[in-house]
Amino acid sequence: MSRPSRAAPAPAEDGADQGDGISIRTPPTRVVALVTVAATVVTVVLGAVTGTAVLLIGLLVFLPAFASALCTPRQTTLVSAWVSIVVIVPVALSTEQLADRVTLALFALGFGALAVYGSWLRITREGTLVRLRSTAAAMQRQILRPLPLLTDDVLVDGVYEPVQQDKLVGGDIYDVAATPWGTRVLIGDVQGKGLPAIGMAIDVVGAFREAAHREPTVTALVDSLEAAVVRHNGYAEQRGEPERFVTAVVLGVDTGAETQLVTCGHIPPYLLHDGTVTAVGAGTEHAPLGLADLVDEPRTVSWFPFPAGATLLLCTDGLTEARSPAGAFYPLEARLAGHLDITAGRLTHALVDDVHAFTEGPQQDDLAVLTVRRSPHRMRSPSVGEVSAAG
């Protein structure tokens, strides 16, 4: 049974600039007002106590500069207007020399105007970056189908979390194809980040979806992926862009007791069964996609037992290369050994929650974690298809 996936936008934080539907984190207006008034009160009181009110009030002309670095243009305008009034009125009533008073008033007005312009430039630049990141993330979500995915052979579930806040989107990919020769599963990671990496990801996923239904062997499927990466790099070279490689794991699962595996420079799968955790295919890794010409050995298939009730865990380096504040890498195999008592459906979410707690900070890379289990329903029919359901 399929369940529709629903997504609702998170509410905007107070003080965020929402122009053109773009959310940029800024302080709430009430906080800006309180800080501005507090700074003014402190300056006036100190000036009254020391007898240098005019000189100390002049220091307030720098307050809009701080606002321009953190606030929206409207908030910066309010701060600049407030400071101009607070500075100009005492200066106008002062008995100091006229030239000094005029100079200080012009400084207040000039600094305020520059601060508003600087805030506008910052918000415009940040808005452009947010648009690019949001576009890349949207493109990535369009090529990656919602999980779980069910075929006659396997049930694939998991979590995919792209980086969108303050980081360029990466190139994590996955897909599942039900074919006349069984189910093919792909997980991979494109070198680099941003729109160029997304372009490579689109080509690789497209090649997988086409070749999985054309090639009867897993090695031929991987060769097709290699050709797609080389072809994409050829076009990239013509545009003056750097070449990229792709790490990947390709599985071939059918009704047999054993499963086919080709690892192309990627993190090996982990098999969880009977209370043990085993890295599958260790020592049989091949060169990443796009780098086959650098080695003499052709890519070959490894076979391993995949019994009913076992769980295969696939992931990208957003999980294994996550670091603690002390710089230690996330100990995936050890953490898997501590999660053997939970179901496959909860395993990926438990690992993602655990790695967030481990890093104690913002996510630094795309994160894809998949579990693969033998399908609970084995229904062979003339037309082999896929049923996708979002959990």
Side-chain angles (χ1 to χ4, degrees):
M1 178 182 296
S2 65
R3 293 176 293 159
S5 174
R6 297 180 181 178
E13 296 191 18
D14 185 16
D17 186 277
Q18 294 295 320
D20 297 330
I22 295 174
S23 177
I24 298 174
R25 192 180 297 270
T26 56
T29 300
R30 63 180 179 275
V31 173
V32 176
L34 288 173
V35 171
T36 303
V37 172
T40 304
V41 171
V42 170
T43 303
V44 171
V45 171
L46 287 177
V49 172
T50 60
T52 57
V54 174
L55 293 177
L56 288 177
I57 287 175
L59 296 177
L60 288 175
V61 299
F62 298 102
L63 190 58
F66 292 102
S68 69
L70 301 172
C71 303
T72 66
R74 183 175 60 180
Q75 293 170 336
T76 306
T77 300
L78 294 175
V79 173
S80 299
W82 171 267
V83 169
S84 297
I85 294 173
V86 171
V87 171
I88 291 174
V89 171
V91 167
L93 300 177
S94 173
T95 58
E96 300 290 334
Q97 293 184 4
L98 179 62
D100 293 339
R101 288 183 285 165
V102 171
T103 300
L104 188 55
L106 291 177
F107 261 103
L109 294 173
F111 271 56
L114 287 175
V116 173
Y117 178 65
S119 176
W120 176 81
L121 282 180
R122 178 181 61 82
I123 291 294
T124 301
R125 186 179 297 111
E126 290 183 6
T128 301
L129 291 175
V130 170
R131 286 190 190 93
L132 289 175
R133 292 166 185 154
S134 298
T135 299
M139 293 172 61
Q140 199 168 27
R141 288 191 181 279
Q142 286 299 312
I143 64 173
L144 303 180
R145 294 180 298 157
L147 296 166
L149 294 167
L150 175 66
T151 72
D152 289 341
D153 301 297
V154 296
L155 172 63
V156 180
D157 202 353
V159 177
Y160 168 66
E161 289 188 355
V163 173
Q164 300 181 51
Q165 185 68 26
D166 300 326
K167 295 290 180 181
L168 291 177
V169 177
D172 287 8
I173 55 176
Y174 65 83
D175 202 22
V176 179
T179 75
W181 306 284
T183 298
R184 273 75 186 274
V185 180
L186 165 71
I187 189 170
D189 189 1
V190 179
Q191 178 194 19
K193 299 181 183 297
L195 290 176
I198 298 299
M200 174 69 85
I202 291 173
D203 279 359
V204 173
V205 172
F208 174 82
R209 291 173 178 172
E210 190 274 332
H213 296 273
R214 184 191 67 235
E215 302 295 346
T217 65
V218 175
T219 50
L221 169 58
V222 174
D223 289 342
S224 296
L225 300 182
E226 171 75 21
V229 173
V230 171
R231 187 165 52 247
H232 181 97
N233 280 333
Y235 291 129
E237 185 178 9
Q238 295 175 9
R239 298 190 300 268
E241 297 177 359
E243 296 183 353
R244 300 172 185 273
F245 62 82
V246 181
T247 65
V249 164
V250 180
L251 297 173
V253 186
D254 55 21
T255 57
E258 292 193 324
T259 291
Q260 303 177 67
L261 166 69
V262 178
T263 304
C264 303
H266 198 79
I267 303 158
Y270 285 90
L271 181 69
L272 285 68
H273 185 58
D274 286 342
T276 62
V277 178
T278 306
V280 177
T284 62
E285 299 87 353
H286 300 283
L289 300 173
L291 302 180
D293 289 343
L294 301 181
V295 296
D296 296 329
E297 299 81 7
R299 295 188 176 99
T300 56
V301 168
S302 300
W303 296 78
F304 66 93
F306 184 25
T311 299
L312 273 175
L313 184 121
L314 313 176
C315 66
T316 58
D317 59 10
L319 184 65
T320 58
E321 294 185 3
R323 292 186 180 228
S324 69
F329 287 106
Y330 182 71
L332 175 58
E333 189 166 349
R335 296 302 174 100
L336 283 174
H339 288 84
L340 292 173
D341 58 339
I342 64 177
T343 63
R346 293 176 49 206
L347 176 61
T348 53
H349 294 279
L351 286 175
V352 170
D353 291 341
D354 187 48
V355 75
H356 288 332
F358 179 81
T359 57
E360 299 181 13
Q363 187 176 326
Q364 298 297 315
D365 196 2
D366 280 13
L367 185 62
V369 188
L370 305 180
T371 56
V372 183
R373 291 174 60 84
R374 293 282 186 180
S375 176
H377 308 290
R378 190 169 300 279
M379 301 173 293
R380 287 292 176 188
S381 63
S383 176
V384 181
E386 300 169 57
V387 178
S388 66

